[in-house]
């Protein structure tokens, strides 16, 4: 309570006492004095609540207590409580889940080799030095063979692939006439092309030991639309019945872009019928292939697209064009880092992990792969539903091929792995052509 407030309270109490003791006239004289004294203080020096309390005190028997309680300044307003909202003002999006790295594959045989190397090292303890030397050399060699890595591969795998490269036929000269047939038989031993009636239309089919297949090309349809249709798995939907009366079906999408920037991407779709015990002959597979192609045509028409099966000459011409062989390029040579067709050097890259990504991400990745290597020819083949693939680059110089391959291997694609197929480039050429097989 301030001094001014205390003074007003005392005067109010004194006036009340005189009012009780004096006659009526005295009270009338005292009232103006109290009113005068009450009006004396400045309004700005006394809070509004205090002025009101003094006005009421003159008519009450205990003004001091009332004035004191009323004159007490009101407590300051409580600050607003800050409540943490469930949604922050600036929401921070959670980071994307980390990409799981593929664990290093450790076959049981490799682990057994490590254990055997350890046993040989233990057996060398306490032996004569010639025995110790032999055991330690054997242990070290076995450990190096099974645990060493080179160029991102196990040393044993690299040496085995080199051994297979040296033992198979690495040189072949294609004849000027029938070179496509010789190329097919060289890449897929036992394979051949013949003309059959497929869905009521003459078409060329490729017969292999593992399968029978036909190759379709888009008609008045953008290659990107056919690629999206194929990668979505739509061609494989409803390809079998409840009784399992159809063989296993696979599709193979092949995209090719030439070395010139103005060249458009071309697409092919191979429909493959795999051989099984109940479908081992071409006649049985041919019926199933015809039914599958008919269904595929209906699905394409429903999606606003169309495709036509290649004839036998078209199949052979497609193989020659995609492999960059032909007149003047009939000298086939396979080396550790390249597959050569005359002056054209080619290298294959395995694409794995594509099936873990969404359809839009697959399409985006294929676009990036084809656009990442301008100046060289690029062919990519994807097998569905496994979504395993092989990409092949071709140029007239080794340096251009190596530069394109290095550029592709440096692409950062989460969940997708690219590996150069050294010692296996003939397999890469075969896997990137619409002739079936597995990469």
């Amino acid at each position: 309570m301030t001094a001014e407030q205390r003074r007003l309270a005392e005067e109010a109490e004194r006036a009340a006492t005189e009012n009780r003791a004096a006659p009526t006239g005295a009270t009338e004289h005292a009232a103006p004095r109290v009113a005068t004294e009450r009006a004396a203080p400045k309004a700005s020096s006394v809070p509004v609540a205090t002025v009101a309390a003094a006005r009421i005190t003159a008519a009450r028997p205990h003004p001091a207590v009332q004035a004191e309680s009323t004159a007490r300044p009101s407590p300051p307003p409580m600050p607003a409580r800050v409540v943490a909202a469930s949604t922050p003002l600036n929401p921070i999006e959670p980071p994307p889940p980390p990409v799981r790295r593929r664990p290093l594959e450790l076959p049981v045989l490799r682990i057994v080799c490590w254990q055997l190397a350890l046993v040989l090292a233990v057996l060398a303890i306490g032996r004569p030095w010639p025995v110790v030397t032999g055991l330690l050399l054997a242990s070290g060699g076995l450990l190096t063979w099974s645990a060493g890595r080179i160029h991102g591969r196990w040393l044993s795998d690299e040496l085995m692939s080199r051994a297979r490269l040296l033992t198979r036929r690495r040189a072949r000269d294609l004849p000027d006439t029938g070179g496509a047939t010789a190329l097919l038989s060289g890449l897929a031993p036992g394979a051949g092309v013949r003309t059959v009636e497929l869905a009521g239309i003459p078409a060329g089919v490729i017969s292999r030991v593992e399968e029978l297949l036909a190759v379709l090309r888009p008609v008045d349809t953008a290659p990107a639309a056919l690629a999206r249709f194929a990668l979505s798995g739509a061609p494989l939907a409803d390809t079998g019945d409840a009784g399992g009366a159809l063989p296993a079906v696979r599709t193979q999408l092949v995209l090719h872009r030439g070395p010139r920037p103005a060249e458009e991407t071309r697409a092919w779709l191979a429909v493959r019928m795999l051989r099984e015990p109940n479908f081992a002959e071409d006649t049985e597979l041919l019926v199933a292939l015809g039914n599958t192609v008919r269904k595929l045509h209906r699905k394409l028409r429903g999606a606003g697209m169309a495709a036509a099966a290649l004839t036998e000459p078209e199949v052979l011409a497609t193989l020659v064009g995609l492999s960059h062989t032909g007149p003047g390029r009939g000298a086939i040579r396979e080396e550790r880092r390249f597959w050569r067709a005359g002056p054209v050097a080619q290298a294959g890259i395995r694409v794995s992990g594509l099936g873990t990504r969404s359809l839009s991400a697959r399409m985006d990745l294929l676009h990036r792969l084809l656009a990442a290597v301008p100046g060289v020819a690029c062919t990519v083949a994807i097998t569905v539903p496994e979504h395993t693939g092989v990409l092949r680059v071709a140029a007239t110089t080794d340096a251009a091929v190596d530069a394109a391959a290095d550029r592709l291997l440096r692409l950062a694609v989460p969940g997708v792995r690219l590996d150069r197929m050294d010692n296996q480039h003939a397999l890469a050429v075969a896997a990137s052509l619409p002739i079936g097989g597995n990469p």
Side-chain angles (χ1 to χ4, degrees):
M1 178 182 297
T2 62
E4 188 69 20
Q5 295 173 356
R6 188 178 299 105
R7 186 179 63 82
L8 290 176
E10 292 175 355
E11 291 179 355
E13 183 179 1
R14 188 182 308 110
T17 305
E18 293 176 354
N19 192 18
R20 288 194 300 268
T24 309
T27 306
E28 295 176 355
H29 290 287
R33 187 181 63 180
V34 174
T36 304
E37 294 178 354
R38 186 184 305 120
K42 296 181 180 180
S44 59
S45 62
V46 182
V48 177
T50 308
V51 176
R55 192 175 293 123
I56 299 172
T57 309
R60 293 191 178 181
H62 301 287
V65 177
Q66 182 68 24
E68 181 177 357
S69 60
T70 311
R72 182 179 297 119
S74 59
M78 296 295 293
R81 296 181 60 187
V82 179
V83 182
S86 58
T87 303
L89 297 178
N90 297 322
I92 301 177
E93 297 182 358
V99 179
R100 294 183 178 181
R101 295 184 178 181
R102 177 180 296 183
L104 193 62
E105 297 180 357
L106 295 177
V108 177
L109 181 59
R110 197 174 302 278
I111 299 177
V112 171
C113 291
W114 298 348
Q115 294 175 344
L116 182 57
L118 180 61
V119 170
L120 292 177
V122 173
L123 290 178
I125 300 176
R127 304 287 180 175
W129 70 265
V131 178
V132 171
T133 303
L135 291 176
L136 292 181
L137 288 177
S139 176
L142 185 60
L143 188 62
T144 303
W145 168 271
S146 58
R149 293 181 66 82
I150 179 173
H151 302 303
R153 302 180 60 189
W154 293 109
L155 178 61
S156 58
D157 295 341
E158 176 70 16
L159 295 179
M160 291 296 295
S161 61
R162 290 193 185 188
R164 285 191 291 266
L165 173 64
L166 296 176
T167 55
R168 66 172 174 260
R169 184 177 178 179
R170 305 187 304 277
R172 187 186 303 271
D173 293 326
L174 302 179
D176 295 336
T177 303
T181 303
L183 174 66
L184 178 61
S185 62
L187 295 175
V193 185
R194 60 191 179 96
T195 300
V196 299
E197 184 175 336
L198 192 65
I201 301 175
V205 296
I206 301 177
S207 178
R208 300 185 51 162
V209 177
E210 308 91 347
E211 57 192 304
L212 184 74
L213 64 125
V215 183
L216 308 180
R217 61 175 178 84
V219 177
D220 298 331
T221 300
L226 181 63
R228 178 176 292 274
F229 179 78
L231 294 180
S232 66
L236 302 179
D238 302 328
T239 54
D241 55 11
L246 285 178
V249 183
R250 297 289 184 271
T251 59
Q252 183 184 20
L253 173 68
V254 179
L255 301 174
H256 174 77
R257 180 193 54 76
R260 300 181 182 86
E263 295 187 33
E264 296 182 356
T265 301
R266 303 180 63 186
W268 294 266
L269 183 63
V271 183
R272 306 162 51 190
M273 312 299 294
L274 305 185
R275 297 188 189 273
E276 297 178 356
N278 296 333
F279 297 90
E281 301 297 331
D282 282 357
T283 54
E284 301 169 342
L285 289 175
L286 187 58
V287 174
L289 180 60
N291 295 333
T292 302
V293 171
R294 288 190 185 92
K295 293 180 180 179
L296 181 57
H297 281 314
R298 289 195 295 268
K299 294 176 183 178
L300 287 171
R301 286 194 298 269
M305 296 180 286
L310 299 184
T311 62
E312 181 178 350
E314 290 175 339
V315 170
L316 296 176
T318 300
L319 298 184
V320 171
L322 291 178
S323 61
H324 306 287
T325 56
R329 300 177 178 179
I332 305 300
R333 302 292 184 269
E334 183 184 4
E335 302 173 0
R336 175 181 174 271
R337 293 183 59 81
F338 303 101
W339 187 87
R340 302 183 185 277
V344 180
Q346 307 180 43
I349 297 175
R350 180 178 284 107
V351 182
S352 55
L354 191 62
T356 61
R357 302 177 63 82
S358 63
L359 177 59
S360 300
R362 297 171 200 165
M363 293 295 299
D364 180 67
L365 175 59
L366 291 181
H367 175 74
R368 289 181 59 190
L369 292 177
L370 293 174
V373 285
V376 300
C378 184
T379 306
V380 59
I382 306 296
T383 300
V384 182
E386 293 85 357
H387 290 95
T388 56
V390 169
L391 183 145
R392 176 168 47 91
V393 292
T396 55
T397 62
D398 297 355
V401 173
D402 283 334
D406 292 341
R407 193 178 303 115
L408 289 170
L409 295 177
R410 287 196 302 268
L411 284 179
V413 184
V416 177
R417 180 175 176 178
L418 304 177
D419 298 302
R420 181 161 175 163
M421 300 176 64
D422 286 340
N423 304 310
Q424 300 176 325
H425 292 297
L427 301 178
V429 173
S432 58
L433 296 176
I435 60 175
N438 296 320

